[in-house]
Amino acid sequence: MGMDNTIGIVMIGAACLLVLLVAAMRSRTQILLNFILRAVLGLLIIYFVDSFLDGRGIPVHVGLGAVSLVMSGLLGAPGVLLLYGIGVCAWLLG
């Protein structure tokens, strides 16, 4: 009887670990997909806003680079606004 209880406890523990592993992988995948979606949308926003500002003759350009990708991916639209705020400050001060 003692051996049967131990096997049952191990099986339940293994099932719980499997469920936790699947949940962790799902959340990591969800986080990665969310980052990629925000990064792509942020870069599209930057591209179109840069084109719009260039057409109006306003010399504020953020550009498409690694910093823009990371900021828009991590922070989303507020990250893009932050980059343009830095660009406007640099333009006004410099």
Side-chain angles (χ1 to χ4, degrees):
M1 278 297 213
M3 187 60 102
D4 290 335
N5 286 340
T6 306
I7 292 173
I9 291 172
V10 169
M11 294 296 283
I12 291 172
C16 290
L17 285 175
L18 183 64
V19 168
L20 288 174
L21 181 65
V22 168
M25 288 176 63
R26 184 175 180 195
S27 68
R28 285 185 185 164
T29 304
Q30 204 170 25
I31 289 170
L32 181 65
L33 288 175
N34 197 0
F35 174 85
I36 291 170
L37 179 67
R38 282 192 308 240
V40 168
L41 289 176
L43 291 179
L44 284 172
I45 290 170
I46 290 170
Y47 175 77
F48 287 116
V49 170
D50 277 353
S51 297
F52 176 78
L53 293 177
D54 190 40
R56 302 281 184 205
I58 301 171
V60 176
H61 299 283
V62 169
L64 302 172
V67 174
S68 302
L69 177 86
V70 171
M71 290 298 287
S72 64
L74 289 176
L75 300 176
V80 173
L81 290 174
L82 177 67
L83 291 171
Y84 276 104
I86 292 169
V88 168
C89 287
W91 175 52
L92 292 175
L93 295 176

